[in-house]
Amino acid sequence: MLAEVESRQDLFSIAVDGISLWRLLRFEVALQLQNLGLRRISMGRAALLKSLPRAAGQYLLAPRGFRYLGKTSNSGLRGLDERGYFDIYFDDLIDGLPGGAKLSSLDAGGYEANERGAYREPVFDDTAVIVASAVLGRIRAPREGARAFGELAGILDREFDLPEFAPAHIARKYSVFVARRALYRRILRRLGARSVLAANTGQFALCMAARDIGIPFVEMQHGLFTSSHPDCLPARALDASADLMLPDLLTVYGDYAAGLIAETALARHGKVRAVGNPAIEKGRDLRARSFRPDRQSPVVTLTAQGIGDKDTAAFLAEFLRRVPGDLTLNIRLHPGYDSRGDFERSGVLGDRRVRLMPGQSTPATHEVIALSDLHLSVFSTCHYDALGIGTPTMVLPGAGHEAVADLYEKGHARLLDTPAGLAEIISKGQWSDVPEATSRHFFQPGFLENMRALLNELQVAESGPK
């Protein structure tokens, strides 16, 4: 739907001060059209407001002169070792490549204990930037752009029946972006950053702030990122007359992920690098050291998604009724979306063989998968994580499983039809090991070495001719 309207209406070219408004809104519009029913774990207002004085102190006292800053969030604090909770995106990188630090903001509730026990504090809590820009965006109306706001709002109403994207709503989104860009620009200058790495999509204000002061901005793959992702722009977007706010580089997990976006805007510019993932490397090492397969009493781990988990719970309940034998079923909830109630109501949690694991609990998800005989989910990115770690994975037949059709069509995973089918597989121990070549195809080995080379590349580019 988006592709057809984009092409016919030239949406990417609708701009204010050179910035593509459609680029700012594309992800939000896509979520609205999908109507996924995600239930985010809420954060208290007090936690958000507490970030303001903390950020003020950090701004005044923080050291400066960082080779790179990693933009993360509190929900990244999902690893635990003898030092405390660590960020799964950047703490391993900072340990291995000196000169880095973290920017971190609140994005999910339930991580208070993890934050208190974190072994590395962020150099700056940019929740304050998000809160302050949201306020400024509401009290500072844009000085220009009324025509563009009205044009885009009219198209979204006519084409997608989205009257909520009114001119005032789009203007406020743009105003928040402008304020956030200005605040991030001050933060990056104060910290003396030489490059920025962001473990998520949609960090447009941070990207543009980095560009404003002349330092590279690198987007790092977070979850499933294909040509169908709303923040992965098609190659035709490059024909637009507006700024698309593309990162200088995009790092992906491996050759598989790079192949999925081979015909997109970033790939056309040669901006994609396969670097691997530190959590998956830890999972591989843990599985090699500690995993002992047991097809008579297997450990099966399901990763929930916060989407369609009522149907998933019903599937598991029927499966458990059909398997009287010994097994352990781990149900790992999503770290940001709460679906505990779906599993409670199904009766699954009353089975002694089931263990419910909140998303923010330890051990980390990649560790749980590494020590499992089999992984299950509908269309979770953990399917890919499991293959990278070396754990066989199977796809449940819930709504949206077609998103990972490439996995079962190419034989990397198995698509389950019914609870009875899964019960037969478990009872007979009928699953295959993951070949090492497959694991490496999904996740490039040597994460630290690959990132060292990438940072050196950025440093050379930064010091070269302008």
Side-chain angles (χ1 to χ4, degrees):
M1 291 170 64
L2 296 183
E4 192 277 326
V5 176
E6 284 169 352
S7 177
R8 180 161 42 83
Q9 299 282 4
D10 194 18
L11 289 186
F12 285 107
S13 292
I14 301 175
V16 176
D17 196 23
I19 299 297
S20 172
L21 292 179
W22 179 235
R23 171 67 156 148
L24 283 175
L25 293 175
R26 194 175 195 250
F27 188 88
E28 184 181 350
V29 170
L31 284 184
Q32 191 82 349
L33 294 174
Q34 288 174 308
N35 191 27
L36 299 175
L38 292 168
R39 300 187 296 272
R40 194 82 185 175
I41 300 174
S42 62
M43 297 173 288
R45 182 176 297 180
L48 296 175
L49 295 177
K50 185 180 177 182
S51 69
L52 297 174
R54 181 186 186 200
Q58 290 174 323
Y59 184 82
L60 294 173
L61 302 175
R64 59 178 291 117
F66 295 101
R67 185 182 184 190
Y68 60 93
L69 292 175
K71 171 66 184 86
T72 185
S73 60
N74 67 327
S75 64
L77 289 170
R78 302 202 297 274
L80 179 67
D81 60 20
E82 66 280 358
R83 299 168 295 179
Y85 288 95
F86 60 85
D87 178 79
I88 61 172
Y89 304 112
F90 290 112
D91 277 333
D92 286 317
L93 179 64
I94 296 171
D95 288 340
L97 296 179
K102 295 183 296 183
L103 303 177
S104 183
S105 60
L106 300 177
D107 76 336
Y111 286 85
E112 293 79 10
N114 304 46
E115 293 169 48
R116 289 192 298 269
Y119 86 84
R120 175 180 284 114
E121 291 290 320
V123 71
F124 186 79
D125 181 350
D126 64 317
T127 307
V129 172
I130 297 170
V131 173
S133 60
V135 173
L136 291 172
R138 282 170 166 76
I139 63 178
R140 289 184 182 176
R143 296 180 180 177
E144 57 182 36
R147 181 176 178 179
F149 301 141
E151 180 184 2
L152 183 55
I155 293 173
L156 296 182
D157 190 8
R158 292 192 306 272
E159 301 283 357
F160 301 128
D161 191 24
L162 293 175
E164 57 268 43
F165 286 86
H169 176 83
I170 299 174
R172 186 166 60 249
K173 284 283 184 181
Y174 176 75
S175 185
V176 170
F177 160 76
V178 170
R180 193 165 295 173
R181 175 180 180 177
L183 291 171
Y184 271 131
R185 189 163 57 233
R186 292 181 66 118
I187 300 304
L188 295 181
R189 281 181 173 146
R190 167 63 184 84
L191 297 176
R194 291 162 55 190
S195 59
V196 179
L197 314 176
N200 211 335
T201 65
Q203 296 291 335
F204 305 125
L206 184 57
C207 173
M208 295 305 291
R211 187 189 298 179
D212 290 341
I213 65 173
I215 63 174
F217 178 86
V218 180
E219 184 179 303
M220 303 180 72
Q221 182 179 353
H222 169 84
L224 182 59
F225 196 67
T226 74
S227 59
S228 297
H229 192 291
D231 274 337
C232 187
L233 301 190
R236 66 177 179 279
L238 297 173
D239 298 331
S241 57
D243 193 325
L244 301 176
M245 298 179 288
L246 296 175
D248 294 285
L249 288 176
L250 169 69
T251 67
V252 295
Y253 298 146
D255 291 338
Y256 177 83
L260 294 177
I261 59 172
E263 299 302 320
T264 61
L266 281 169
R268 287 287 180 90
H269 278 301
K271 293 185 174 184
V272 180
R273 303 283 187 279
V275 300
N277 178 279
I280 300 307
E281 290 198 355
K282 283 187 172 182
R284 282 174 177 160
D285 292 343
L286 177 62
R287 188 173 181 84
R289 290 193 319 269
S290 305
F291 174 68
R292 299 293 179 268
D294 186 350
R295 293 178 188 259
Q296 302 305 313
S297 180
V299 176
V300 181
T301 293
L302 172 119
T303 51
Q305 299 169 254
I307 304 171
D309 285 339
K310 180 179 179 181
D311 292 337
T312 298
F315 184 101
L316 293 179
E318 178 63 21
F319 156 70
L320 290 168
R321 282 193 289 270
R322 291 174 174 272
V323 180
D326 194 20
L327 64 86
T328 298
L329 175 62
N330 300 318
I331 299 177
R332 186 59 177 245
L333 300 180
H334 191 279
Y337 302 111
D338 186 8
S339 58
R340 176 192 298 264
D342 292 326
F343 294 98
E344 289 177 342
R345 288 185 288 272
S346 72
V348 166
L349 302 187
D351 193 303
R352 61 174 179 79
R353 298 170 293 178
V354 174
R355 296 191 302 170
L356 183 72
M357 297 181 170
Q360 68 272 24
S361 66
T362 56
T365 302
H366 67 270
E367 295 178 22
V368 178
I369 292 174
L371 297 178
S372 299
D373 292 273
L374 185 64
H375 169 258
L376 306 173
S377 194
V378 181
F379 60 98
S380 170
T381 59
C382 289
H383 284 304
Y384 303 88
D385 295 349
L387 291 169
I389 289 168
T391 301
T393 188
M394 295 188 182
V395 181
L396 300 184
H401 73 270
E402 300 88 353
V404 294
D406 191 58
L407 292 183
Y408 53 78
E409 287 173 355
K410 292 185 177 178
H412 299 306
R414 185 167 178 172
L415 175 63
L416 299 168
D417 295 321
T418 62
L422 176 60
E424 182 178 4
I425 289 169
I426 295 298
S427 299
K428 296 181 178 180
Q430 295 177 332
W431 59 86
S432 303
D433 295 332
V434 178
E436 182 178 351
T438 298
S439 178
R440 295 169 68 92
H441 178 61
F442 281 91
F443 285 85
Q444 185 85 8
F447 174 76
L448 280 179
E449 293 75 13
N450 296 332
M451 288 302 298
R452 181 180 287 110
L454 182 140
L455 289 171
N456 288 340
E457 177 185 342
L458 293 178
Q459 187 173 344
V460 169
E462 184 184 5
S463 60
K466 300 297 183 183

